[in-house]
Amino acid sequence: SFNLPKLVLMDTNCDVFGLMSAVRIGILKTLMELDISGNRIDKPAAQALAVALKEPESKLSRLHCANCKLSGESLDTVLS
C-alpha cells in the first residue's frame, strides 16, 4: 500500500468516482486529506464519496471540494 497522507487534485478533471472507489477498497488507506476542488462531482461520484467517508478504516479527515458543481441532492448524499 502507499503512504500518501495528502493528495491534491485541484482542477484536474479527475475521475472522482474512480478515486473514491480506490479509497474505499483501501488502496489509499493512509489518505488523510484530499483536495478535489474544481472537479465535477456528479451523483454517482457523490454516492461513492459518501460511502468512502463512512468506511470504518478510512483515515480521510479533511476534504476540500470547492467549486465542484455539487447539486443540492448530491450535497445531501455526501453529508448524510
Side-chain angles (χ1 to χ4, degrees):
S1 88
F2 300 96
N3 184 10
L4 187 67
K6 181 177 182 178
L7 181 59
V8 178
L9 295 170
M10 188 169 71
D11 296 317
T12 58
N13 198 29
C14 73
D15 175 7
V16 175
F17 179 83
L19 178 64
M20 289 302 100
S21 296
V23 169
R24 188 172 154 236
I25 63 172
I27 291 173
L28 302 174
K29 285 192 276 191
T30 60
L31 189 63
M32 294 184 289
E33 184 173 355
L34 176 63
D35 188 344
I36 51 174
S37 298
N39 293 289
R40 186 171 177 267
I41 299 178
D42 57 12
K43 187 173 181 177
Q47 290 169 336
L49 179 57
V51 169
L53 291 172
K54 291 176 186 172
E55 285 294 317
E57 296 177 5
S58 174
K59 291 180 173 50
L60 190 60
S61 60
R62 296 192 72 175
L63 176 66
H64 306 275
C65 55
N67 301 314
C68 285
K69 300 180 179 108
L70 274 167
S71 69
E73 181 181 354
S74 293
L75 181 59
D76 286 344
T77 299
V78 172
L79 296 176
S80 64

